[in-house]
Every structure is written in C-alpha cells, then in structure tokens.
Amino acid sequence: MLMSNPWPAVVFRTVAGGAFLAVFGLVTGVPWLVLLAGAALLVHQLVQVYRLERWLRTSRRRHPPRGRGLWGHVLDGLDRQQNRQRARRLRLVGLLRRFREGANAMPDGTIVLSAAGEMQWWNRLASRYLGLQWPLDRGQRIANLIRHPDFAAYLTARDWTAAVKIPSPQDPRRTLEIRIVPYGDHQQMLLARDISELHRLETMRRDFVGNVSHELRTPLTVLQGMSEQLGEMESLDAEDLQRPLALMDQQIGRMTRLVDDLLLLSRLETERPVVDRAALDMPRLLDEAVEEARALSGGQHGISVTADESLSIEGDEDEIRSALSNLLSNAVKYTAAGGRIDVRWFVAEGAACLAVADTGRGIPAHHIPRLTERFYRVDAGRAARDGGTGLGLAIVKHVLSRHGARLEITSEMGVGSTFTALFPIAARVSPAPDASVS
C-alpha cells in the first residue's frame, strides 16, 4: 500500500502558521510570540523524538507510540514496516520448518555443509546413520567425525559425480552410500543412503555365481577325467568299466540334483503362488517324507513321527512335499549315526507347527541367520561329501513364504537343532483322534 506524501500539507501548515504569528506579532506589537511558537514546536519535536527513541530502546510493545501530523505519518510508517518484517519473518520460519520437516522425511541422511566442510544442520537419519549429536557437533568438520579411509580419499579427490560406500560408524553391519552435492554459494549437501540390503543382495549374487560355478566344475572335472581315462584304455571290458561308470553316474546325478534344485528355486521365486489350493493330508505327506528319510539313513538313525491327524492346511502338495523332504534330509545328513530325529505335527498358539528335531552336533549361533541363503553351509567340506546342493533350506524358506508361513531355527552345540515351520492358518478336517506315533 502506497503512503500519501505528507510534506505538502506539513509545509503549508508550517508556513501559514508562521506567517499568521508574524503578522499577529507585528499588529499587536509582541514579536516574541514567533519565538515562543518556535520554541513550542521544538519542544514538541523533541518529545516525539524521545518517545520514538525510548520505544526503540526499551519497549517490548510491537506497535510504536501514536502521534499526530508528520510524526503520525512517521510512526504509522514504522508500524507498517514492522508488520511487513514480521510477516516476512513468519513466512521464513514457516519455510524453514517445512524444509526441516521435508528433510526429516527424506529416505536419506542429509547434512548441510559449509564451504569449509563444517556441519551446519542435519536430519534425524543422519544422526542415526552417523551418530551425530545436535547441537554438540554443530560446526564440526565432517572429516573429523567420519574417519574411514575411503571417505577421506573421497573428500581429497573432490569428485562429486561419484559416491563412496563405507560401513556406518554407528553400526558396522549397516552399509552407507555417501554422496556430496554442491549447491548455492560454495555450500555442499552430504547425502547418506542405507544400501545394506542392496549390498547383501549383491554379495549373495556374487556368492551364488561363484558357488554354482564351483558346484558344476567339480563333477565336470570328474567326468572329463573319466572320459580321458576311458579314451586312453586299449581294451575295455565290463570289470574295467564298472568303477568309472559308477563315478560318472554319481557325478551326473549330483549335477542333475543341482540343476533340478536351481530350477525349483527359480520357479518358487518368480511364479505367483497358486490361488485355488486344496486341503492337504499332512499325516500322509509326513509318512512319505519319513520313509524317504529312513531310506536315506539306511537304518543308522532312529526316526519317529507324531502327527495330529485332524490338523490340515491348504497349499500346494508338491511344494510342501519338497519342503518336508529337504528338512528331513538335512536332519539325516547332519546327525551322526545312532542319533535320533523326531518329527512333530501339532497346533501351538493357533498355528499349525511342523517341528523336525535332531540330536546332531548343533549349529553355532552366528551361522543361524544365514542358513536359508543359497549355497550357505556351516561345514562346506562335509556337505560336499554328503552330496548336498546347498539349496535345501533356501527352497524350504521360499515354500513357506509362498504359504504365508515362516521357519524358526533353534540350536544348541552338542545337543542338536530344531527346525520349526509355522503355518498361521490351520483347519480341522475331522474330530481330533489321539495323535499317531510311528
């Protein structure tokens, strides 16, 4: 809003008043009235200046004192300026608040840096990822708080088109990708992204490729050696061929199992679960899986099964059979001769539970979280001797996931391990008889 110019009216009133007093003094013979009027005007101006200075210096009132005439215009102008500044300040505070809220909502840790690398502000994720404390660390150089050699080299190179990967100073299990983005007047913004899952998947991919190559190279080497040996033999009879052919058949079987498991795992990972599922006869499937396990054991283990015959779940029979077979074959392979394997099918806390407990040597606690990874083995040498593919528990995990179930693993060294599949949705197919034991 434009202010009207008060000066023409002020000048007119001042000149008119002075002329009137001068004429009046000359007519009445008292010219000192002009001096008295000037003194009164000066006192009035000094009073107004005092009121303004005192308000500026001591008053906490937002609005300036009221005035008349020219001072009224001046004080009103100050009031309008105050209101504009206050509105601008409120807008800036609102923008700053929204900026901070937006920065805190970002999926990355964000730090605002000065041209010298001093930290001026950061969001919550930056505090969590890098262990920063507000306002204690404000003004600190970022290089003094993150001392990883790769990050130091990144700052020295000043190639802001690239990023650097380092472990989090707060949690070494967390992997961070850090990137610095220049902006504004020689300022910088540091972005820290949690790529732990991507890093884990990349590690798993590399391990997978390496393990598949290794698993296939071993039988292929055996087959190549047998082929060369047979080619060098001058005469071939049934007795000479017996051992090479047995070894070749063994290695071909190993490759076949590996390829079959890889295809099954690929199908479980990529295909959608079947929508229309039928109720499964779990006691029958358990009996079949236990018979296979007994055949694999060759009578070296005591295997028992306890099943609630009225308990059923809905699912894909082939997938569940594969999961049962892998759980039991694992128990047989990793339980010494003379040990026991107990299989139970029961209800606990509203969930259908399948527990396979063995009296093997147990699994160290730090291995348990990774047991369901493809090709992960606690004892790689023993697994290779037993002919395993290293994909069994990965298949179990994906089958259970497709059925809304989960796998729990508990183990104690020297005592044994228990693998429990928990299906959250169970059904009763008939009145519950006594549990059967075989």
Side-chain angles (χ1 to χ4, degrees), residues 261 264 267-268 282 285-286 289 292 313 316-331 354 356 391-401 403 405 407 419 421 423:
D261 282 353
L264 174 59
R267 182 175 66 82
L268 293 173
M282 288 298 295
L285 292 176
L286 284 172
E292 292 178 4
I313 59 171
D316 185 295
E317 183 170 316
D318 292 335
E319 292 182 7
I320 295 297
R321 179 184 289 109
S322 175
L324 295 177
S325 175
N326 278 291
L327 285 174
L328 285 167
S329 63
N330 252 26
L354 171 68
V356 178
L391 298 172
L393 290 179
I395 291 174
V396 171
K397 174 187 174 182
H398 281 84
V399 168
L400 295 182
S401 176
H403 288 76
L407 181 67
F419 293 76
F423 298 86

Side-chain angles (χ1 to χ4, degrees), residues 2-7 73 80:
L2 294 176
M3 296 175 54
S4 58
N5 187 357
W7 284 104
H73 285 278
R80 282 189 289 271

Side-chain angles (χ1 to χ4, degrees), residues 340-403:
R340 287 198 54 80
I341 299 171
D342 297 316
V343 183
R344 296 176 58 216
W345 174 244
F346 60 100
V347 171
E349 299 181 357
C353 302
L354 171 68
V356 178
D358 62 57
T359 57
R361 54 184 174 176
I363 305 168
H366 65 278
H367 287 292
I368 291 178
R370 300 191 61 189
L371 285 180
T372 56
E373 293 180 12
R374 289 173 290 189
F375 294 111
Y376 188 83
R377 294 186 174 108
V378 177
D379 185 348
R382 178 169 182 173
R385 291 193 301 271
D386 291 336
T389 63
L391 298 172
L393 290 179
I395 291 174
V396 171
K397 174 187 174 182
H398 281 84
V399 168
L400 295 182
S401 176
R402 287 164 64 88
H403 288 76

Side-chain angles (χ1 to χ4, degrees), residues 39 50 53 68 82 97-98 159 183 197 254 347 354 374:
Y50 169 76
E53 188 276 335
R68 293 184 178 181
Q82 282 275 104
R97 184 185 299 113
R98 286 193 291 274
D159 181 10
Y183 78 100
E197 185 65 18
R254 182 177 175 182
V347 171
L354 171 68
R374 289 173 290 189

Side-chain angles (χ1 to χ4, degrees), residues 97-158:
R97 184 185 299 113
R98 286 193 291 274
F99 165 76
R100 290 182 174 177
E101 290 173 353
N104 281 322
M106 289 178 62
D108 300 335
T110 305
I111 305 177
V112 177
L113 303 173
S114 68
E118 298 169 344
M119 298 184 297
Q120 298 177 329
W121 183 86
W122 55 86
N123 64 358
R124 296 190 191 98
L125 276 182
S127 297
R128 184 190 308 171
Y129 290 167
L130 302 171
L132 304 179
Q133 299 180 21
W134 180 273
L136 182 63
D137 294 328
R138 184 179 180 183
Q140 294 283 340
R141 290 174 60 88
I142 189 67
N144 295 337
L145 295 179
I146 305 178
R147 296 182 175 273
H148 194 278
D150 291 347
F151 183 70
Y154 177 68
L155 291 180
T156 302
R158 300 187 66 81

